[in-house]
Each structure stands twice: as structure tokens, then as C-alpha cells.
Amino acid sequence: MKLNLTEVRKDFPILEREIRPGVRLTYLDSTATSQKPLSVLQAMDDYYRHSNANIHRGVHTLAEEATALYEAAREKIARFINAASARQIIYTRNTTESINLVAYSWARANLIQGDLVLLTEMEHHSNLVPWQMLQAERGIELDFIPVTEDGLLDLEAYSTLLSRRPKLVSFTHMSNVLGTINPAAEIIHLAHDAGAITLVDGAQSVPHLTVDVQALDADFYAFSAHKMCGPTGIGALYGKVALLESMPPFLGGGDMIKEVKLRSFRPNTLPHKFEAGTPAIAEAVGFGAAVDYLTSLGMDNIAAHEHEITEYALERLEEIPGVKLFGPSADKKGGVAAFTLEGVHPHDVAQILDRDGIAVRAGHHCAQPLHEKFGIPATSRASFYLYNTKDEVDLLVNGIYKVKEMFG
């Protein structure tokens, strides 16, 4: 079923905003963060107006309501990615914290000097720096699955790297720069055959694709609410029960304990063992509302719409003299178009487009090594989501022509 873009756009009040008088917002930066539908804003507002209380600690009405809303959202998130149990969903602040949780808890309990962790050359800094920190602390080894010139992972090289028996393979499901949708199931299967645990950065995939963690057989899967129509400041880590139960707590304090004495403590059961202190309750409510919203539209419908927009955008951008696109063809990528314009710095492109209300990203997009791989300091990046239209792509293309005129 095709999305009704007219009706969908009505759900997002910010899309009515004028950046300046007579200049309507054209938002093409959803890879950085998505906009929020009214249903999410209303769910969080309703929580604060009617049920605001701390969770898991009180027996009064508000506390019980808040706890029920918080845990109901966890159930929704579990169903959304087809986790077998809500106990496998750990609330975190974002994808970055989810990856760091694995690095601090699982990795520090299981990796020793000389152990190999495999990453890829297209990783976000969030899936590079935690492992570099562990390398400096513990003396583990890091190696990287290469990226080909057309923006795909070199799976032959990956097979060779697996012969070195890595302990962990951690990779992005979808690149935030190239848009490449990596063959996660195949990568995980090969890793398991080599005896490795897998961690998937799903920050860009869960908002745009149907993700089934059981079908993928992922050991850990990390993602954020704010990229999938939900609020900032909350994300999730999925993990297999046996792994999560074997891991030491990440942070110490309230709610992550079963019992505390002056000289000892016993950790709580899953998932609370990893959720110390008062959590982001309203944000969890908003997270659950975002899942409801995406489910109501249908993830397959969202993916089909994004593919149509991306295919159109790549065709239009390729028409512009001096534009160089990065990443694979539309059939192998999500809604991302990273590009350079000959003779113009990406920041200048973004600033000039903003005069016409067109919001795109410019920079290295927290993926400096990937840009170095392609011999460039930065790119401009337009990214598309369920509310974007072909008319907005046309505005982008017209805007780039204006940039070219300004720079001669």
C-alpha cells in the first residue's frame, strides 16, 4: 500500500514551519534525527499531565500507571524487532550508549590482550571509539572489513579476516553516509561459524526497514528512538538472554539491584540489571508511541516509499554537472544521498541551501575514516524519510543549481 503523503505530512507539525517569512521548511536530514508526529508529542504530554511519577518504587496510582506505561513501551519495542521477550530490551540513552554497554560489560568480561574485534571501514564513530578505547586499555586487536569503491563491504576480504578467529564482529546494518544496506544475516552467519559474537548498529536500519532480530540471529542489536519518529535521549539494546544474564552490570545504583548490604550487592534480573537510576520515563512512553505510529503505516510501505524517493533523488542529482555521489545504487541503499559539488565546500552548499529552507547535513557525519577512504574531508548529505516528497527533491536540485551559479 502506498503511503498517503498528504495525510502523513499532516501528522508532523514542524513541516508547516516557515524558516523565514515565505520560506517553508524542506527537511532532508532525517538520518541525523527524524521529525516527530503529533501522536508521539501527545503521548509524552499526556504522561506528564496525568501520570508523572517514578517507576518500580511506589504502590500509589500514579506510580503504577507510570510503571505500566514504561513497561508497555518495552513490550512494543520487543514486538517491533521480533525479540522473543521484552526482557531482552534494555533501555539506554541512544545507540552510542548501547554499543558502549556491550563494550564495557560484555567485552571487558570476555576479551583479553590479543583478542580480535572485527569492524568495518564504514562505521560511525560510535562503533569505532569504544573499541579503540578498549584496545588502549586491554591490548585487543582491531581490524576492518574493507569498503569497495562502489560503497559495498568486501565480503571476500571478510571471509579472510574470519580465518583469524575474531571474538566479536560489530558492524552497521545501514551506513549513515553511503546508505549501504549490509547483508546482516550473511555477516552474522559467517561470524557465528567462525565462533564470534555479533553486535549490529541498527540506528539507521530499524527506522526504515523491517528488522527481525531472531531471523538475523543477532547477538546484540542497538538502535535509537530519535531516528524513528521518537524522542531524543532514549534508545535500546537487544541482546540474547544467555549473554545478558552472563554480563556484569554496566552502572551501579538504584533499580539495578536485588539486594544491597554495606559491603555487597546482588544485581537485579533482566532487564533492570542494566537500568540504574530513574530512567527516561516520558521518553520511553514516546518511544512506544513512535513504534505504534510506524506500525500503523507499515514498515514495508515506508521502505517502498523511501526507495522510490531515493531512486528519484539519485537520478536528479546525477543530472547536475559537478555533483559526485557516494554509495551504491538505489536498490542497495536506504534513503541517503551523500555528495560533493565540484569547487564548493559541503558546508557552503548546506548554508546556501538553508537560505531556501532546505535542511541537509554537511561534514564527515561522524565517519571520518570513511571519508578519508574516499579521499575527501566532507560531504553534503540529503536523507529521506516517510514524510518526504519528490517535490522536495526537486527543491534540493534547484537549490544546488543556485549554489553552482553563486560559485560560478
Coordinates of all heavy atoms in Angstrom, one line a residue, residues 138-229:
R138 N 43.2 -2.6 27.1 CA 43.2 -4.1 27.2 C 44.2 -4.7 26.2 O 44.6 -5.9 26.4 CB 41.8 -4.7 27.1 CG 41.7 -6.1 27.4 CD 41.9 -6.4 28.9 NE 41.0 -5.7 29.8 CZ 39.8 -6.1 30.1 NH1 39.3 -7.2 29.7 NH2 39.0 -5.4 31.0
G139 N 44.6 -4.0 25.2 CA 45.5 -4.6 24.2 C 44.8 -5.5 23.2 O 45.5 -6.4 22.6
I140 N 43.5 -5.4 23.0 CA 42.9 -6.2 22.0 C 43.3 -5.7 20.6 O 43.9 -4.6 20.5 CB 41.3 -6.1 22.1 CG1 40.8 -4.6 21.8 CG2 40.8 -6.6 23.4 CD1 39.4 -4.5 21.5
E141 N 43.1 -6.5 19.6 CA 43.4 -6.1 18.2 C 42.1 -5.7 17.5 O 41.1 -6.3 17.7 CB 44.1 -7.3 17.5 CG 45.4 -7.6 18.0 CD 46.1 -8.7 17.2 OE1 45.7 -8.9 16.0 OE2 47.0 -9.4 17.8
L142 N 42.3 -4.7 16.6 CA 41.2 -4.3 15.7 C 41.5 -4.5 14.2 O 42.7 -4.3 13.9 CB 40.8 -2.8 15.9 CG 40.4 -2.4 17.3 CD1 40.2 -0.9 17.4 CD2 39.2 -3.2 17.8
D143 N 40.6 -5.0 13.5 CA 40.8 -5.0 12.0 C 39.4 -4.7 11.4 O 38.4 -4.7 12.0 CB 41.3 -6.3 11.5 CG 42.3 -6.2 10.3 OD1 42.1 -5.1 9.6 OD2 43.1 -7.0 10.1
F144 N 39.5 -4.4 10.1 CA 38.3 -3.8 9.4 C 38.0 -4.4 8.1 O 38.9 -4.7 7.2 CB 38.6 -2.3 9.2 CG 39.0 -1.6 10.5 CD1 40.3 -1.5 10.9 CD2 38.0 -1.0 11.3 CE1 40.7 -0.9 12.1 CE2 38.3 -0.4 12.5 CZ 39.7 -0.4 12.9
I145 N 36.7 -4.7 7.9 CA 36.2 -5.2 6.6 C 36.3 -4.0 5.6 O 35.7 -3.0 5.9 CB 34.8 -5.7 6.7 CG1 34.7 -6.8 7.8 CG2 34.3 -6.3 5.4 CD1 33.2 -7.2 8.2
P146 N 37.0 -4.2 4.5 CA 37.1 -3.0 3.6 C 35.8 -2.7 2.9 O 34.9 -3.5 2.8 CB 38.2 -3.5 2.6 CG 38.8 -4.7 3.1 CD 37.7 -5.3 4.1
V147 N 35.7 -1.4 2.5 CA 34.6 -0.9 1.7 C 35.1 -0.8 0.2 O 36.2 -0.2 0.0 CB 34.1 0.5 2.2 CG1 33.1 1.0 1.3 CG2 33.6 0.3 3.6
T148 N 34.3 -1.3 -0.7 CA 34.7 -1.2 -2.1 C 34.5 0.2 -2.6 O 33.8 1.0 -2.0 CB 34.0 -2.2 -3.0 OG1 32.5 -1.9 -2.9 CG2 34.1 -3.6 -2.4
E149 N 34.9 0.5 -3.8 CA 34.8 1.8 -4.4 C 33.3 2.2 -4.6 O 32.9 3.3 -4.6 CB 35.5 1.9 -5.8 CG 37.0 2.0 -5.6 CD 37.4 3.3 -4.9 OE1 36.9 4.4 -5.2 OE2 38.2 3.2 -3.9
D150 N 32.4 1.2 -4.8 CA 31.0 1.4 -5.0 C 30.2 1.4 -3.7 O 29.0 1.4 -3.7 CB 30.4 0.5 -6.1 CG 30.6 -1.0 -5.7 OD1 31.3 -1.3 -4.8 OD2 30.1 -1.8 -6.5
G151 N 31.0 1.4 -2.6 CA 30.3 1.6 -1.3 C 29.7 0.3 -0.7 O 28.9 0.4 0.2
L152 N 30.2 -0.9 -1.1 CA 29.8 -2.1 -0.5 C 30.9 -2.7 0.3 O 32.1 -2.4 0.2 CB 29.4 -3.1 -1.6 CG 28.3 -2.6 -2.6 CD1 28.1 -3.6 -3.7 CD2 26.9 -2.4 -1.8
L153 N 30.5 -3.6 1.3 CA 31.5 -4.3 2.0 C 32.1 -5.4 1.2 O 31.4 -6.1 0.4 CB 30.9 -4.9 3.3 CG 30.5 -4.0 4.4 CD1 30.0 -4.7 5.6 CD2 31.7 -3.1 4.8
D154 N 33.4 -5.6 1.3 CA 34.2 -6.6 0.6 C 34.0 -7.9 1.4 O 34.8 -8.2 2.3 CB 35.6 -6.2 0.4 CG 36.4 -7.2 -0.4 OD1 36.0 -8.3 -0.6 OD2 37.5 -6.8 -0.9
L155 N 33.1 -8.8 1.0 CA 32.8 -10.0 1.7 C 33.9 -11.1 1.5 O 34.0 -11.9 2.4 CB 31.4 -10.5 1.4 CG 30.3 -9.6 1.8 CD1 28.9 -10.3 1.5 CD2 30.3 -9.2 3.3
E156 N 34.6 -11.0 0.4 CA 35.8 -11.9 0.3 C 36.8 -11.6 1.3 O 37.4 -12.5 1.9 CB 36.3 -11.8 -1.1 CG 35.5 -12.5 -2.2 CD 36.2 -12.6 -3.6 OE1 37.4 -12.4 -3.6 OE2 35.5 -12.8 -4.6
A157 N 37.1 -10.3 1.5 CA 38.1 -9.9 2.5 C 37.6 -10.3 3.9 O 38.4 -10.7 4.7 CB 38.3 -8.4 2.4
Y158 N 36.3 -10.2 4.1 CA 35.7 -10.6 5.4 C 35.9 -12.0 5.7 O 36.3 -12.4 6.8 CB 34.2 -10.3 5.3 CG 33.4 -10.7 6.6 CD1 33.9 -10.4 7.8 CD2 32.2 -11.4 6.4 CE1 33.1 -10.8 9.0 CE2 31.5 -11.8 7.5 CZ 31.9 -11.5 8.8 OH 31.2 -11.9 9.9
S159 N 35.7 -12.9 4.7 CA 36.0 -14.3 4.9 C 37.4 -14.6 5.3 O 37.7 -15.4 6.2 CB 35.7 -15.1 3.6 OG 34.3 -15.0 3.3
T160 N 38.4 -13.8 4.7 CA 39.8 -14.0 5.0 C 40.0 -13.5 6.5 O 40.7 -14.2 7.2 CB 40.7 -13.2 4.1 OG1 40.4 -13.6 2.7 CG2 42.1 -13.3 4.4
L161 N 39.4 -12.4 6.8 CA 39.6 -11.9 8.2 C 39.0 -12.9 9.2 O 39.6 -13.0 10.3 CB 38.9 -10.6 8.3 CG 39.6 -9.4 7.6 CD1 38.6 -8.2 7.6 CD2 40.9 -9.0 8.4
L162 N 37.9 -13.6 8.9 CA 37.3 -14.5 9.8 C 38.3 -15.7 10.1 O 38.1 -16.4 11.2 CB 36.0 -15.0 9.3 CG 34.8 -14.0 9.3 CD1 33.6 -14.6 8.6 CD2 34.5 -13.7 10.8
S163 N 39.2 -16.0 9.2 CA 40.1 -17.1 9.4 C 41.0 -16.8 10.6 O 41.7 -17.7 11.2 CB 41.0 -17.4 8.2 OG 41.8 -16.3 7.9
R164 N 41.1 -15.5 11.1 CA 41.9 -15.2 12.2 C 41.1 -15.3 13.5 O 41.6 -15.0 14.6 CB 42.3 -13.7 12.1 CG 43.3 -13.5 10.9 CD 43.6 -12.1 10.6 NE 44.0 -11.3 11.8 CZ 44.1 -10.0 11.9 NH1 43.7 -9.3 10.8 NH2 44.5 -9.4 12.9
R165 N 39.9 -15.9 13.5 CA 39.1 -16.3 14.6 C 38.8 -15.1 15.5 O 39.2 -15.0 16.7 CB 39.7 -17.4 15.4 CG 40.1 -18.6 14.6 CD 39.0 -19.2 13.9 NE 38.1 -19.9 14.7 CZ 37.0 -20.6 14.3 NH1 36.8 -20.7 13.0 NH2 36.2 -21.2 15.2
P166 N 38.1 -14.0 15.0 CA 37.8 -12.9 15.9 C 36.8 -13.3 17.0 O 36.0 -14.3 16.9 CB 37.1 -11.9 15.0 CG 36.5 -12.8 13.9 CD 37.5 -13.9 13.7
K167 N 36.8 -12.6 18.1 CA 35.9 -12.9 19.2 C 34.6 -12.1 19.0 O 33.5 -12.5 19.5 CB 36.5 -12.5 20.5 CG 37.7 -13.4 20.9 CD 37.3 -14.8 21.2 CE 38.4 -15.7 21.6 NZ 39.0 -15.3 22.9
L168 N 34.6 -11.0 18.3 CA 33.5 -10.1 18.1 C 33.5 -9.5 16.7 O 34.6 -9.1 16.2 CB 33.4 -9.0 19.1 CG 32.3 -8.0 18.9 CD1 30.9 -8.5 19.3 CD2 32.6 -6.7 19.8
V169 N 32.3 -9.5 16.0 CA 32.2 -8.8 14.8 C 31.1 -7.8 15.0 O 29.9 -8.1 15.3 CB 31.8 -9.7 13.6 CG1 31.5 -8.9 12.3 CG2 32.9 -10.8 13.4
S170 N 31.4 -6.5 14.9 CA 30.5 -5.4 15.1 C 30.4 -4.5 13.9 O 31.4 -4.0 13.4 CB 31.0 -4.6 16.3 OG 30.0 -3.6 16.7
F171 N 29.2 -4.3 13.4 CA 29.0 -3.6 12.1 C 27.7 -2.9 12.0 O 26.8 -3.2 12.7 CB 29.2 -4.6 11.0 CG 28.0 -5.6 10.9 CD1 26.9 -5.4 10.1 CD2 28.1 -6.8 11.7 CE1 25.9 -6.3 10.0 CE2 27.0 -7.7 11.7 CZ 25.9 -7.5 10.8
T172 N 27.7 -1.9 11.1 CA 26.4 -1.2 10.9 C 25.5 -1.9 9.9 O 26.0 -2.5 8.9 CB 26.7 0.2 10.4 OG1 25.5 0.9 10.2 CG2 27.5 0.2 9.0
H173 N 24.3 -2.0 10.2 CA 23.3 -2.6 9.3 C 23.1 -1.7 8.1 O 22.9 -2.2 6.9 CB 22.0 -2.8 10.0 CG 21.1 -3.8 9.4 ND1 20.0 -4.4 10.0 CD2 21.0 -4.3 8.1 CE1 19.4 -5.2 9.2 NE2 20.0 -5.1 8.0
M174 N 23.1 -0.4 8.3 CA 23.0 0.5 7.2 C 23.8 1.8 7.4 O 23.8 2.4 8.5 CB 21.5 1.0 7.0 CG 21.2 2.0 6.0 SD 19.4 2.3 5.9 CE 19.5 4.1 5.3
S175 N 24.7 2.1 6.4 CA 25.6 3.2 6.6 C 24.9 4.5 6.6 O 24.0 4.8 5.8 CB 26.6 3.2 5.4 OG 27.4 4.4 5.4
N176 N 25.3 5.4 7.6 CA 24.7 6.7 7.7 C 25.3 7.7 6.6 O 24.7 8.8 6.5 CB 24.9 7.3 9.1 CG 26.3 7.7 9.3 OD1 27.3 7.0 9.1 ND2 26.5 8.9 9.9
V177 N 26.3 7.3 5.9 CA 26.9 8.2 4.9 C 26.5 7.6 3.5 O 26.0 8.3 2.6 CB 28.4 8.3 5.0 CG1 29.0 9.1 3.9 CG2 28.8 8.9 6.4
L178 N 26.9 6.4 3.3 CA 26.7 5.8 1.9 C 25.2 5.3 1.7 O 24.8 5.1 0.6 CB 27.6 4.6 1.8 CG 29.1 4.9 1.9 CD1 30.0 3.7 1.9 CD2 29.6 6.0 0.9
G179 N 24.5 5.0 2.8 CA 23.2 4.4 2.7 C 23.2 2.9 2.5 O 22.1 2.3 2.4
T180 N 24.4 2.3 2.3 CA 24.5 0.9 2.0 C 23.8 0.1 3.1 O 24.0 0.2 4.3 CB 26.0 0.5 2.0 OG1 26.7 1.4 1.2 CG2 26.2 -0.9 1.6
I181 N 22.9 -0.8 2.6 CA 22.3 -1.8 3.4 C 23.1 -3.1 3.4 O 23.2 -3.8 2.4 CB 20.8 -2.1 3.0 CG1 20.0 -0.8 3.0 CG2 20.2 -3.1 3.9 CD1 18.6 -0.9 2.4
N182 N 23.8 -3.4 4.5 CA 24.7 -4.5 4.5 C 23.9 -5.8 4.7 O 22.8 -5.8 5.4 CB 25.7 -4.3 5.6 CG 26.7 -3.2 5.3 OD1 27.2 -3.2 4.2 ND2 27.0 -2.4 6.3
P183 N 24.4 -6.9 4.2 CA 23.7 -8.2 4.3 C 23.9 -8.8 5.7 O 24.8 -9.7 5.9 CB 24.4 -9.1 3.2 CG 25.8 -8.5 3.1 CD 25.6 -7.0 3.3
A184 N 23.2 -8.3 6.6 CA 23.4 -8.6 8.0 C 23.3 -10.0 8.4 O 24.1 -10.6 9.1 CB 22.4 -7.8 8.9
A185 N 22.3 -10.7 7.8 CA 22.1 -12.1 8.1 C 23.3 -12.9 7.7 O 23.8 -13.8 8.4 CB 20.8 -12.7 7.4
E186 N 23.9 -12.6 6.5 CA 25.0 -13.4 6.0 C 26.3 -13.1 6.8 O 27.0 -14.0 7.2 CB 25.3 -13.0 4.5 CG 26.5 -13.7 3.9 CD 26.7 -13.3 2.5 OE1 26.0 -12.4 1.9 OE2 27.7 -13.8 1.9
I187 N 26.4 -11.8 7.2 CA 27.6 -11.4 8.0 C 27.5 -12.1 9.4 O 28.6 -12.6 9.9 CB 27.6 -9.9 8.2 CG1 27.9 -9.2 6.8 CG2 28.7 -9.5 9.2 CD1 27.7 -7.7 6.8
I188 N 26.4 -12.2 10.0 CA 26.2 -12.8 11.3 C 26.4 -14.3 11.2 O 27.1 -14.9 12.0 CB 24.8 -12.5 11.8 CG1 24.7 -11.0 12.2 CG2 24.5 -13.4 13.0 CD1 23.3 -10.5 12.5
H189 N 25.9 -14.9 10.1 CA 26.0 -16.4 10.0 C 27.5 -16.7 9.8 O 28.0 -17.7 10.5 CB 25.2 -16.8 8.7 CG 25.4 -18.3 8.4 ND1 24.8 -19.3 9.2 CD2 26.1 -18.9 7.4 CE1 25.2 -20.4 8.6 NE2 25.9 -20.2 7.6
L190 N 28.2 -16.0 9.0 CA 29.6 -16.3 8.8 C 30.4 -16.1 10.1 O 31.3 -16.8 10.5 CB 30.2 -15.4 7.7 CG 29.7 -15.8 6.3 CD1 30.1 -14.7 5.3 CD2 30.2 -17.1 5.8
A191 N 30.0 -15.0 10.9 CA 30.7 -14.7 12.1 C 30.5 -15.9 13.1 O 31.4 -16.3 13.8 CB 30.2 -13.4 12.7
H192 N 29.3 -16.4 13.2 CA 29.0 -17.5 14.1 C 29.7 -18.7 13.7 O 30.2 -19.5 14.6 CB 27.5 -17.7 14.2 CG 26.7 -16.7 14.9 ND1 25.3 -16.6 14.8 CD2 27.1 -15.7 15.7 CE1 24.9 -15.6 15.6 NE2 26.0 -15.0 16.1
D193 N 29.8 -19.0 12.5 CA 30.6 -20.2 12.0 C 32.1 -20.1 12.4 O 32.7 -21.1 12.6 CB 30.5 -20.3 10.5 CG 29.2 -20.9 10.0 OD1 28.4 -21.4 10.9 OD2 28.9 -20.9 8.8
A194 N 32.5 -18.8 12.6 CA 33.9 -18.6 13.0 C 34.1 -18.5 14.5 O 35.2 -18.3 15.0 CB 34.5 -17.4 12.3
G195 N 33.0 -18.7 15.2 CA 33.0 -18.6 16.7 C 32.9 -17.3 17.3 O 33.2 -17.1 18.5
A196 N 32.4 -16.3 16.5 CA 32.4 -14.9 17.0 C 31.0 -14.5 17.5 O 30.0 -15.0 16.9 CB 32.9 -13.9 15.9
I197 N 30.9 -13.6 18.4 CA 29.7 -12.9 18.8 C 29.5 -11.7 17.9 O 30.4 -11.2 17.3 CB 29.8 -12.4 20.3 CG1 29.9 -13.6 21.2 CG2 28.7 -11.5 20.7 CD1 28.7 -14.5 21.3
T198 N 28.2 -11.3 17.7 CA 27.9 -10.2 16.8 C 27.2 -9.1 17.5 O 26.3 -9.3 18.3 CB 27.1 -10.7 15.5 OG1 25.9 -11.3 16.0 CG2 27.9 -11.7 14.7
L199 N 27.5 -7.9 17.1 CA 26.8 -6.7 17.5 C 26.5 -5.8 16.3 O 27.4 -5.5 15.5 CB 27.7 -5.9 18.5 CG 27.3 -4.4 18.8 CD1 26.0 -4.3 19.4 CD2 28.4 -3.7 19.7
V200 N 25.2 -5.5 16.1 CA 24.8 -4.8 15.0 C 24.3 -3.4 15.4 O 23.5 -3.2 16.3 CB 23.6 -5.5 14.3 CG1 23.2 -4.7 13.0 CG2 23.9 -6.9 13.9
D201 N 24.9 -2.3 14.7 CA 24.5 -1.0 14.9 C 23.3 -0.8 14.0 O 23.4 -0.7 12.7 CB 25.6 0.0 14.5 CG 25.2 1.4 14.5 OD1 24.0 1.7 14.7 OD2 26.1 2.3 14.2
G202 N 22.1 -0.7 14.6 CA 20.8 -0.6 13.8 C 20.2 0.8 13.8 O 19.0 0.9 13.5
A203 N 21.0 1.8 14.1 CA 20.5 3.1 14.2 C 19.8 3.6 13.0 O 18.8 4.3 13.0 CB 21.6 4.1 14.6
Q204 N 20.4 3.2 11.8 CA 19.8 3.6 10.5 C 18.8 2.6 9.9 O 18.1 2.9 9.0 CB 20.9 4.0 9.5 CG 21.9 5.0 10.0 CD 21.2 6.4 10.2 OE1 20.2 6.7 9.7 NE2 21.9 7.2 11.0
S205 N 18.8 1.4 10.4 CA 18.0 0.3 9.8 C 16.6 0.2 10.4 O 15.6 0.1 9.7 CB 18.8 -1.0 9.8 OG 19.3 -1.3 11.1
V206 N 16.6 0.2 11.7 CA 15.3 0.0 12.4 C 14.2 1.0 12.0 O 13.1 0.7 11.9 CB 15.5 -0.1 14.0 CG1 14.2 -0.1 14.7 CG2 16.3 -1.3 14.3
P207 N 14.6 2.3 11.8 CA 13.6 3.3 11.4 C 13.1 3.1 10.0 O 12.0 3.6 9.6 CB 14.3 4.6 11.5 CG 15.5 4.4 12.3 CD 15.9 3.0 12.1
H208 N 13.8 2.3 9.1 CA 13.5 2.3 7.7 C 13.2 0.9 7.1 O 12.6 0.9 6.1 CB 14.7 2.9 6.9 CG 15.1 4.2 7.4 ND1 14.4 5.4 7.0 CD2 16.1 4.6 8.2 CE1 15.0 6.4 7.6 NE2 16.0 6.0 8.3
L209 N 13.5 -0.1 7.8 CA 13.4 -1.5 7.3 C 12.7 -2.3 8.3 O 12.7 -2.1 9.5 CB 14.8 -2.1 7.0 CG 15.8 -1.3 6.2 CD1 17.1 -2.0 6.3 CD2 15.3 -1.1 4.8
T210 N 12.1 -3.4 7.9 CA 11.6 -4.4 8.8 C 12.8 -5.2 9.3 O 13.5 -5.8 8.6 CB 10.6 -5.4 8.1 OG1 9.5 -4.7 7.6 CG2 10.1 -6.5 9.0
V211 N 13.0 -5.1 10.7 CA 14.1 -5.8 11.3 C 13.5 -6.9 12.2 O 12.7 -6.7 13.0 CB 14.9 -4.8 12.1 CG1 15.9 -5.6 13.0 CG2 15.6 -3.8 11.2
D212 N 14.1 -8.1 12.0 CA 13.7 -9.3 12.8 C 15.0 -9.9 13.4 O 15.8 -10.5 12.7 CB 13.0 -10.3 11.9 CG 12.5 -11.6 12.6 OD1 13.1 -11.9 13.7 OD2 11.6 -12.2 12.1
V213 N 15.2 -9.6 14.7 CA 16.5 -9.9 15.3 C 16.6 -11.5 15.4 O 17.7 -12.0 15.4 CB 16.6 -9.3 16.7 CG1 16.8 -7.8 16.5 CG2 15.4 -9.6 17.6
Q214 N 15.5 -12.2 15.5 CA 15.6 -13.6 15.6 C 16.0 -14.2 14.3 O 16.8 -15.2 14.2 CB 14.3 -14.2 16.1 CG 13.9 -13.9 17.6 CD 12.7 -14.6 18.1 OE1 12.8 -15.8 18.4 NE2 11.6 -14.0 18.2
A215 N 15.4 -13.7 13.2 CA 15.7 -14.2 11.9 C 17.2 -13.9 11.5 O 17.9 -14.7 10.9 CB 14.8 -13.6 10.8
L216 N 17.6 -12.7 12.0 CA 19.0 -12.3 11.7 C 20.0 -13.2 12.6 O 21.1 -13.4 12.2 CB 19.2 -10.9 12.1 CG 18.6 -9.8 11.1 CD1 18.8 -8.4 11.7 CD2 19.2 -9.9 9.7
D217 N 19.5 -13.6 13.8 CA 20.3 -14.3 14.8 C 21.4 -13.4 15.4 O 22.4 -13.9 15.7 CB 20.9 -15.6 14.2 CG 21.4 -16.6 15.2 OD1 20.8 -16.5 16.3 OD2 22.3 -17.4 14.9
A218 N 21.0 -12.1 15.5 CA 22.0 -11.2 16.1 C 22.1 -11.5 17.6 O 21.2 -11.8 18.3 CB 21.5 -9.8 15.9
D219 N 23.4 -11.3 18.0 CA 23.6 -11.5 19.5 C 23.3 -10.2 20.2 O 22.7 -10.3 21.3 CB 25.1 -11.9 19.7 CG 25.4 -13.2 19.1 OD1 24.9 -14.2 19.5 OD2 26.2 -13.2 18.1
F220 N 23.7 -9.1 19.7 CA 23.3 -7.8 20.2 C 22.8 -6.9 19.0 O 23.4 -7.0 17.9 CB 24.5 -7.1 20.9 CG 25.0 -7.8 22.1 CD1 26.2 -8.5 22.0 CD2 24.4 -7.8 23.3 CE1 26.8 -9.1 23.1 CE2 24.9 -8.4 24.4 CZ 26.1 -9.1 24.3
Y221 N 21.9 -6.0 19.3 CA 21.4 -5.1 18.2 C 21.0 -3.8 18.9 O 20.2 -3.8 19.9 CB 20.1 -5.7 17.6 CG 19.8 -5.2 16.2 CD1 20.2 -5.9 15.0 CD2 19.2 -3.9 16.1 CE1 19.9 -5.3 13.8 CE2 19.0 -3.4 14.8 CZ 19.3 -4.1 13.7 OH 19.1 -3.6 12.4
A222 N 21.6 -2.7 18.4 CA 21.5 -1.4 19.1 C 20.7 -0.4 18.2 O 21.0 -0.4 16.9 CB 22.8 -0.9 19.4
F223 N 19.9 0.4 18.7 CA 19.2 1.4 17.9 C 18.7 2.5 18.8 O 18.7 2.4 20.1 CB 18.0 0.8 17.1 CG 17.0 0.0 17.9 CD1 15.8 0.5 18.2 CD2 17.3 -1.3 18.3 CE1 14.8 -0.2 18.9 CE2 16.4 -2.0 19.0 CZ 15.1 -1.5 19.3
S224 N 18.2 3.6 18.2 CA 17.8 4.8 18.9 C 16.3 5.2 18.5 O 15.9 5.0 17.4 CB 18.7 6.0 18.6 OG 20.0 5.8 19.0
A225 N 15.6 5.8 19.5 CA 14.3 6.3 19.2 C 14.2 7.5 18.3 O 13.3 7.6 17.5 CB 13.6 6.6 20.6
H226 N 15.2 8.4 18.5 CA 15.0 9.7 17.8 C 15.1 9.6 16.3 O 14.7 10.6 15.6 CB 16.0 10.7 18.4 CG 17.4 10.5 17.9 ND1 18.0 11.2 16.9 CD2 18.4 9.7 18.4 CE1 19.2 10.8 16.7 NE2 19.5 9.9 17.6
K227 N 15.7 8.6 15.8 CA 15.8 8.4 14.3 C 14.5 7.7 13.7 O 14.4 7.6 12.5 CB 17.0 7.6 13.9 CG 18.3 8.3 14.3 CD 19.5 7.6 13.9 CE 20.8 8.1 14.4 NZ 21.2 9.5 13.8
M228 N 13.6 7.3 14.6 CA 12.4 6.6 14.2 C 11.1 7.2 14.7 O 10.2 6.5 15.2 CB 12.5 5.1 14.6 CG 12.9 4.8 16.0 SD 13.2 3.1 16.4 CE 11.5 2.4 16.3
C229 N 11.1 8.5 14.6 CA 9.9 9.3 15.0 C 9.7 9.5 16.5 O 8.7 10.0 16.9 CB 8.6 8.8 14.3 SG 8.6 8.9 12.5

